[in-house]
Amino acid sequence: MPAEEEDRPSLTRGEVNRAMRGFITASGLWGVWGQTIGIGTAVFTGYVLHLGADESYIALLTSVAYLLAAVQVLSSAWASRIRRRKRLVVGVGFVEIVLRNALPLIPLLFAVHLRLEALAFLVAAGLLCGHVLAPFYNTWVANTVPENFRARFTSRQTILSTIAAMIAGVVVGRFIDGFDSADKQTGFDIVFVFGAIFGLLGYLALSRAPHP
């Protein structure tokens, strides 16, 4: 274990409680965000088809998402060299949200024949950011939540994120269905902006959580 980790000050009970509230709040906000942009969700699939892709393209994006998860191994190997881990998690997280939710810019900035390539780049870059920060975030949570409280904490975190995702999925799906084919792009734009707000608020809540 590196010397800086051995000598790090432990959190007070109040700081631990504040950190756990931050983790749980962030999970709920990300539950909403995930329903607006997550690969495999109705919104994301609908938007990709709207841009002219087919089912094989969606399958390709899904495969890329799984392959990029290998980056977490490299990210974990760099962990001992990173000192300001909270800043890394929050900073890279903000970049992830911006990249993943920048999809409405594609029709504005790219010609029709380049739109799917631009979408693949934004998705891959956003996923890469998420995988880079994941080991640092997971370690943060593991080092903060007391061992005798982890089951209860995980239960609360899972329940909140699941309920938030379920409600968001229903609301967003009905909202998109309310637009006809001519105005579908407007509906997607609103949903992606709405999702970005929740995603960024999640990292804002996380930024207020103390780091050990």
Side-chain angles (χ1 to χ4, degrees):
M1 180 181 293
E4 62 268 19
E5 289 190 13
E6 292 177 352
D7 298 333
R8 71 188 176 196
S10 59
L11 298 177
T12 65
R13 184 173 180 178
E15 288 174 329
V16 169
N17 289 335
R18 187 152 58 93
M20 290 192 294
R21 286 196 298 269
F23 296 146
I24 292 174
T25 300
S27 294
L29 292 167
W30 292 334
V32 176
W33 169 71
Q35 287 298 312
T36 68
I37 200 64
I39 293 178
T41 61
V43 174
F44 182 82
T45 301
Y47 188 67
V48 173
L49 295 175
H50 174 73
L51 290 182
D54 54 19
E55 290 78 2
S56 62
Y57 185 85
I58 297 174
L60 174 63
L61 291 179
T62 303
S63 300
V64 169
Y66 283 109
L67 289 174
L68 286 175
V71 173
Q72 294 190 32
V73 177
L74 298 176
S75 182
S76 299
W78 299 333
S80 61
R81 304 179 184 180
I82 305 297
R83 293 186 178 181
R84 298 180 177 179
R85 299 179 184 181
K86 176 178 177 179
R87 181 175 296 182
L88 181 143
V89 170
V90 175
V92 176
F94 268 85
V95 175
E96 175 194 11
I97 300 297
V98 171
L99 289 171
R100 295 285 302 278
N101 288 79
L103 302 188
L105 298 178
I106 292 176
L108 300 176
L109 300 178
F110 297 93
V112 174
H113 65 284
L114 294 176
R115 289 179 181 176
L116 294 181
E117 286 78 3
L119 184 143
F121 172 79
L122 289 174
V123 171
L127 289 171
L128 183 63
C129 290
H131 290 311
V132 166
L133 68 84
F136 298 98
Y137 170 74
N138 293 333
T139 301
W140 182 1
V141 174
N143 290 341
T144 301
V145 180
E147 186 175 353
N148 61 351
F149 197 78
R150 286 178 185 170
R152 194 183 311 174
F153 165 80
T154 303
S155 175
R156 292 179 181 179
Q157 189 180 42
T158 303
I159 289 172
L160 179 59
S161 61
T162 301
I163 292 175
M166 290 174 59
I167 295 174
V170 172
V171 172
V172 168
R174 291 188 176 183
F175 179 79
I176 290 293
D177 289 342
F179 290 84
D180 55 32
S181 56
D183 297 324
K184 217 69 170 179
Q185 181 66 48
T186 301
F188 285 120
D189 291 347
I190 294 173
V191 168
F192 290 142
V193 172
F194 171 82
I197 292 173
F198 275 82
L200 294 173
L201 285 175
Y203 280 105
L204 182 61
L206 188 64
S207 71
R208 302 173 64 85
H211 191 285

